[in-house]
Amino acid sequence: MIKQLWEKYKHIIAYLFWGVVTTVINLAVFQILSSGIHWNYQLANVIAWFVSVLVAYFTNKVWVFGSHYTTVSDFLVEMLRFFFYRALTLVIDIVITFIGISVLGFKDPMGQFIVKVIDNVIVIIANYVFSKWLIFKDNKQIEDQ
């Protein structure tokens, strides 16, 4: 029974585990740059996004979706697709942080952190949908060959 549940939900469990790891990285980099060394919160947000997307790509590729692309061109296409869809959610990320911090006034470190946590929940859901159905979708066809 446990093995059946694992087989049924292993992609979701792995995605959630690595999603937590990349979310912690995103929040930590953001807090260090924004609240720690007082960089502009949007610049800190974009840098945190880039670092966490790099981590997310490799963890999703290897441990979540088991991507098996072996050629350089297939690898680059997959990586570009990943970054493209993550860039779409970066727009969501930027809008949410702008509204939360600049419009609603959550400018202190704790307020920014709360905005980023809410933002990350929404972004994680969107990223999973993109990853599952648009980025790593061809891997089943590769495994069947």
Side-chain angles (χ1 to χ4, degrees), residues 7-142:
E7 287 301 317
K8 185 174 182 178
Y9 298 109
K10 69 182 176 183
H11 292 298
I12 293 172
I13 293 167
Y15 184 80
L16 290 173
F17 173 79
W18 290 109
V20 167
V21 170
T22 57
T23 298
V24 168
I25 290 168
N26 182 281
L27 291 170
V29 171
F30 177 79
Q31 285 299 112
I32 289 166
L33 297 178
S34 179
S35 299
I37 58 177
H38 305 289
W39 284 13
N40 174 278
Y41 76 88
Q42 288 293 21
L43 177 62
N45 193 36
V46 171
I47 292 170
W49 169 85
F50 183 77
V51 171
S52 61
V53 168
L54 275 177
V55 171
Y57 174 71
F58 288 106
T59 58
N60 277 245
K61 177 177 181 49
V62 175
W63 291 299
V64 178
F65 298 105
S67 176
H68 300 290
Y69 288 121
T70 56
T71 68
V72 172
S73 63
D74 286 343
F75 172 78
L76 290 175
V77 167
E78 180 184 73
M79 184 180 236
L80 288 172
R81 267 197 315 222
F82 190 85
F83 270 84
F84 171 78
Y85 287 108
R86 289 300 201 266
L88 292 179
T89 57
L90 174 63
V91 172
I92 295 168
D93 191 345
I94 289 169
V95 169
I96 292 170
T97 55
F98 174 77
I99 291 170
I101 295 169
S102 292
V103 175
L104 298 177
F106 291 97
K107 296 180 185 206
D108 63 282
M110 183 54 77
Q112 288 184 4
F113 182 78
I114 291 168
V115 169
K116 282 296 289 176
V117 168
I118 293 167
D119 164 50
N120 270 274
V121 169
I122 295 166
V123 166
I124 286 170
I125 293 167
N127 285 339
Y128 181 79
V129 170
F130 289 150
S131 292
K132 177 80 173 162
W133 288 288
L134 300 173
I135 299 166
F136 298 108
K137 65 181 173 60
D138 297 330
N139 291 329
K140 183 68 177 150
Q141 295 168 346
I142 292 168

